[in-house]
Amino acid sequence: MISNKYFAVLAAAGLSISGAAFAQGMPPIPQSSPVPTIPAGTQATLPSANLQAVAGGKNVLSAASPGTLGVDGLPSIQNAQAGNVAGLTYYCTHHKLVLGTSPIVAARTLAKRPDVQNDQFYSLGGKGMLQMQGGNVFDIGTLPKDKRVMTCNDLIKKAQSLGDSAVVGH
């Protein structure tokens, strides 16, 4: 029994010595310039390559951007058109923020509409970018998960109503 205690102490000492030797043998981490960060409460400018020819696209807004969230902590989906909603429903299902077949059916129904197929905001919606007032887009990925889920549920309801109105219009 005494030998087991000594064995454990020796094993622990050996591991700590070998770990120190390994750490000393590692090359130093190169010091590079710091990664640029955007201060909270400011707006990031969307690079033109990501706009994908969205004529009115100006800025990507985040949860930290002042005035973008309502009192409930959610962005407004009022300005999101059918194409953007269809893309966002894909984003929501792909990231498992909504479950079931209803969101998939709603997204597919909208995606079949000719106006959606030509909508420049469809692909942005697929990346989690919500069409906002003034040509800006809001990155719903910046929201806490519970708020993303709530936003996605609202988007699914909007997608279903837009899909239903398209069917009634035929």
Side-chain angles (χ1 to χ4, degrees):
M1 285 194 196
I2 294 175
S3 63
N4 286 344
K5 288 182 184 177
Y6 289 115
F7 178 74
V9 170
L10 288 173
L15 287 175
S16 64
I17 291 170
S18 68
F22 179 75
Q24 288 175 352
M26 294 292 294
I29 298 172
Q31 298 297 322
S32 61
S33 61
V35 176
T37 57
I38 300 169
T42 60
Q43 295 179 352
T45 302
L46 183 63
S48 59
N50 292 340
L51 278 176
Q52 297 181 0
V54 175
K58 295 178 183 172
N59 296 308
V60 175
L61 306 175
S62 71
S65 302
T68 57
L69 302 178
V71 292
D72 54 359
L74 300 176
S76 171
I77 64 169
Q78 180 179 355
N79 292 315
Q81 300 297 317
N84 189 234
V85 173
L88 282 160
T89 54
Y90 167 79
Y91 174 88
C92 293
T93 56
H94 183 72
H95 287 88
K96 298 186 182 355
L97 297 168
V98 291
L99 302 173
T101 57
S102 296
I104 296 168
V105 170
R108 286 181 182 167
T109 301
L110 281 180
K112 290 178 184 176
R113 289 176 39 175
D115 60 329
V116 169
Q117 293 172 359
N118 298 321
D119 190 343
Q120 55 204 14
F121 282 98
Y122 178 78
S123 63
L124 288 175
K127 295 175 183 176
M129 300 294 170
L130 172 65
Q131 189 176 3
M132 301 288 285
Q133 185 175 5
N136 296 323
V137 292
F138 178 82
D139 183 359
I140 66 171
T142 62
L143 293 169
K145 186 170 183 178
D146 63 326
K147 299 296 184 183
R148 278 183 284 161
V149 169
M150 293 168 72
T151 301
C152 284
N153 284 326
D154 291 343
L155 286 163
I156 297 303
K157 290 175 189 170
K158 185 167 183 170
Q160 290 169 334
S161 70
L162 288 170
D164 290 342
S165 66
V167 172
V168 172
H170 284 280

